[in-house]
Amino acid sequence: MPGQVFHKTVPVRFEDCDPAGIGFYPRMLMMVNRLIEDFFAEALDCPWHRLHGRENRAVPTVRLEVDFKGPLYQGDALDLELRVLKVGNSAFTVAVAGSVGGAAKFAVTQVLAYTTAGPGISASPMPDALKAALREFSAG
Amino acid sequence: MPGQVFHKTVPVRFEDCDPAGIGFYPRMLMMVNRLIEDFFAEALDCPWHRLHGRENRAVPTVRLEVDFKGPLYQGDALDLELRVLKVGNSAFTVAVAGSVGGAAKFAVTQVLAYTTAGPGISASPMPDALKAALREFSAG
Amino acid sequence: MPGQVFHKTVPVRFEDCDPAGIGFYPRMLMMVNRLIEDFFAEALDCPWHRLHGRENRAVPTVRLEVDFKGPLYQGDALDLELRVLKVGNSAFTVAVAGSVGGAAKFAVTQVLAYTTAGPGISASPMPDALKAALREFSAG
Amino acid sequence: MPGQVFHKTVPVRFEDCDPAGIGFYPRMLMMVNRLIEDFFAEALDCPWHRLHGRENRAVPTVRLEVDFKGPLYQGDALDLELRVLKVGNSAFTVAVAGSVGGAAKFAVTQVLAYTTAGPGISASPMPDALKAALREFSAG
């Protein structure tokens, strides 16, 4: 059933914050990457160790758009929500919203390609099962 | 004289690459952040330890747009070029292009705010000297 | 009751592995640091955001000894066990063992000091409650 | 000629420091790893992209001992000195000293193995040229 949202709450850790005392933005993108990794393993039945291993495929990010809306602090419980915006033949787009206690902290739009792995990276058609699983998380 | 470009060549290191063998995108943004840090210290006479310390200011990123155009590999010499696109009153926009041997690898547009540091972050007008220094790197 | 063990199972993620395909050792130490952070929040009632904030204290690492016993791979479920080896007046020693499916992967002995925070770091006596809580995890 | 020291001065960056305002220890070990990477490329004529690529070998760390002697601050110029303590058949030991303005900050003793790369990691004898190059940096 389309319209699902993949949700996790993660702590803002000591290591995520900078000497100015707030979340350091490249590490927020690391958090988003972890969410996408969990989304693949838990919601799409496509854990990355199998994708990169046996299936010899990869999902490199090709475009990233981020709005940072407010600072994160050490000890915050960060709510992350992932929705699928678009499912193409060998690429897909996700939106990830980060918030703390209902206050928006960042919004990410990220385009990932589905490719062969290894030195000669090239676009590869996504399996139908993966496309169908992705569509469960799109607005429909 | 406007139109200057801030340039560095940096190695793509072991630690920058992922198990798929290519540069991992959050770490490329870390490279871009290092470039901006060097730009402040070397070109703008505004090293961050002084900015965050004595001046009690910060330059958090508020918007980020990235196009990844090709994979980076361990051992690549990555050329980074920074240009200033816009200088506002308490924010500025930079463009950073990454390439290897002339082949484009990524293009970043990044908006940074100039703010007070500490818990109650708020926009702060940039000093005139900083605005003038930034304008040296804009197209004019 | 002394003799308790603080235990977590964490995934070995894509980001933890290097281009040689195995867990990258500085990131394993990051995992150990996260475990110690969780130990403080969940077992010692001393979350770091409160320690570094209101209490104005820090727990910098002063000594680290690590034996790496076998490679970690992407997708591994890493079991981490923390025991307290020694509780001093303003320092304590923990041992952390990492294993996958019962096979030892690394063993860490880490000495942390309890200090004032900020520029003039100096040793500070640990509160009695913290010492007592630490002793619950020592062999007795 | 034995007795050489491999030396670099590196900046302590914004990203290296934690919300307590000082260098974060896992990132200091990342700095040491970068030094070892540069040592291989610049002093041993064995860049890691070639080692991990064409030569299909790796140099995983098997033991690490670190004493942290004083805090690092953002903006510090960190002097790193590497000496070789021991050259075995398929392992070697280095000592790395970190200091700022002559004040000791940390001392690392690190044992690295020389192994085959890939899933079935196993010890591999070091080429004679590599052993000879390493010995140039031992006390003799």
Side-chain angles (χ1 to χ4, degrees):
Chain A
M1 198 183 68
Q4 291 184 58
V5 176
F6 185 74
H7 174 266
K8 292 244 162 168
T9 301
V10 299
V12 177
R13 292 182 172 279
F14 183 72
E15 72 182 58
D16 299 319
C17 294
D18 64 28
I22 63 172
F24 185 39
Y25 68 94
R27 295 195 185 114
M28 294 185 214
L29 299 173
M30 214 61 110
M31 291 177 192
V32 170
N33 192 69
R34 266 172 235 145
L35 183 79
I36 298 175
E37 185 178 22
D38 289 343
F39 176 59
F40 267 72
E42 298 169 22
L44 304 181
D45 185 30
C46 180
W48 283 2
H49 62 96
R50 201 183 71 201
L51 181 74
H52 295 121
R54 178 148 53 90
E55 295 173 14
N56 206 31
R57 291 293 180 275
V59 284
T61 290
V62 294
R63 185 169 163 78
L64 199 55
E65 223 171 292
V66 194
D67 283 295
F68 297 100
K69 299 175 175 192
L72 290 174
Y73 295 101
Q74 200 184 338
D76 279 353
L78 176 65
D79 290 310
L80 293 169
E81 293 192 343
L82 182 155
R83 290 169 175 82
V84 173
L85 297 186
K86 201 173 149 183
V87 182
N89 192 42
S90 59
F92 59 98
T93 304
V94 299
V96 176
S99 61
V100 175
K105 294 300 179 178
F106 58 77
V108 175
T109 306
Q110 190 160 345
V111 184
L112 297 101
Y114 189 84
T115 68
T116 59
I121 290 171
S122 63
S124 174
M126 284 193 276
D128 287 340
L130 181 58
K131 285 199 274 192
L134 281 167
R135 281 196 197 103
E136 295 294 301
F137 293 84
S138 71
Chain B
M1 198 185 67
Q4 290 184 58
V5 176
F6 185 73
H7 175 267
K8 290 245 162 168
T9 301
V10 299
V12 176
R13 291 183 174 278
F14 183 72
E15 71 182 57
D16 299 319
C17 295
D18 64 28
I22 63 173
F24 185 39
Y25 69 94
R27 298 197 183 111
M28 294 184 212
L29 298 173
M30 214 60 111
M31 291 177 190
V32 170
N33 191 69
R34 266 172 235 146
L35 183 78
I36 297 175
E37 185 177 22
D38 289 344
F39 175 59
F40 266 72
E42 298 170 21
L44 304 182
D45 185 28
C46 181
W48 283 2
H49 61 96
R50 202 182 71 201
L51 182 73
H52 295 121
R54 178 148 53 91
E55 295 174 13
N56 205 30
R57 291 293 180 276
V59 284
T61 290
V62 294
R63 187 171 161 76
L64 199 54
E65 222 171 291
V66 193
D67 283 295
F68 296 100
K69 300 176 174 190
L72 290 174
Y73 296 101
Q74 199 184 340
D76 279 353
L78 175 65
D79 291 310
L80 293 169
E81 292 192 344
L82 182 154
R83 289 170 176 82
V84 174
L85 297 186
K86 201 173 149 182
V87 182
N89 191 42
S90 59
F92 59 96
T93 304
V94 299
V96 175
S99 62
V100 175
K105 295 298 179 179
F106 58 77
V108 176
T109 306
Q110 191 161 345
V111 184
L112 297 100
Y114 190 83
T115 68
T116 59
I121 290 171
S122 63
S124 174
M126 284 192 276
D128 287 341
L130 181 57
K131 285 199 273 194
L134 281 167
R135 281 196 196 102
E136 295 293 301
F137 292 84
S138 71
Chain C
M1 199 184 65
Q4 290 184 58
V5 176
F6 185 74
H7 174 266
K8 290 244 162 168
T9 301
V10 299
V12 177
R13 291 183 173 278
F14 183 71
E15 71 182 58
D16 299 318
C17 295
D18 64 27
I22 63 172
F24 185 40
Y25 68 95
R27 296 194 184 113
M28 293 184 214
L29 298 173
M30 214 61 111
M31 290 177 192
V32 171
N33 191 69
R34 264 171 236 147
L35 183 78
I36 297 175
E37 185 178 21
D38 290 343
F39 176 59
F40 266 72
E42 298 169 21
L44 303 181
D45 185 29
C46 180
W48 283 3
H49 62 97
R50 202 183 70 199
L51 182 74
H52 295 120
R54 178 148 53 91
E55 295 174 13
N56 206 29
R57 291 293 180 275
V59 283
T61 290
V62 294
R63 186 169 161 77
L64 198 55
E65 222 171 291
V66 194
D67 283 295
F68 297 100
K69 299 175 174 191
L72 290 173
Y73 296 101
Q74 200 185 338
D76 279 353
L78 176 65
D79 291 310
L80 293 169
E81 292 192 343
L82 181 154
R83 289 169 177 83
V84 173
L85 297 187
K86 201 174 149 181
V87 182
N89 191 42
S90 58
F92 59 97
T93 305
V94 299
V96 176
S99 62
V100 175
K105 295 300 179 178
F106 58 76
V108 175
T109 306
Q110 190 160 344
V111 184
L112 297 100
Y114 189 84
T115 69
T116 59
I121 290 170
S122 63
S124 175
M126 283 192 278
D128 288 339
L130 181 58
K131 284 199 273 192
L134 281 166
R135 281 196 197 103
E136 295 293 302
F137 293 85
S138 71
Chain D
M1 199 184 67
Q4 290 185 59
V5 175
F6 185 74
H7 175 266
K8 291 245 162 166
T9 301
V10 299
V12 176
R13 292 183 173 278
F14 182 73
E15 70 182 59
D16 299 318
C17 295
D18 64 27
I22 62 173
F24 185 39
Y25 69 94
R27 296 195 185 113
M28 295 184 212
L29 298 174
M30 213 62 110
M31 290 177 190
V32 170
N33 191 70
R34 266 173 233 144
L35 183 78
I36 297 175
E37 185 178 22
D38 289 344
F39 176 59
F40 266 72
E42 298 169 21
L44 303 182
D45 185 28
C46 180
W48 283 2
H49 62 94
R50 202 183 70 202
L51 182 74
H52 294 120
R54 178 148 53 90
E55 295 173 15
N56 206 30
R57 291 294 181 276
V59 284
T61 289
V62 293
R63 186 170 162 77
L64 199 55
E65 221 171 294
V66 193
D67 284 295
F68 297 100
K69 300 176 174 191
L72 291 174
Y73 296 100
Q74 200 185 339
D76 279 353
L78 175 66
D79 290 310
L80 293 169
E81 292 191 344
L82 182 155
R83 289 169 176 81
V84 173
L85 297 186
K86 201 172 148 184
V87 182
N89 192 41
S90 58
F92 59 97
T93 304
V94 299
V96 176
S99 62
V100 175
K105 295 299 180 180
F106 59 77
V108 176
T109 306
Q110 190 161 345
V111 184
L112 297 100
Y114 190 84
T115 68
T116 58
I121 289 171
S122 63
S124 174
M126 284 193 275
D128 287 341
L130 180 57
K131 286 199 272 193
L134 281 167
R135 281 196 196 102
E136 295 294 301
F137 292 84
S138 70

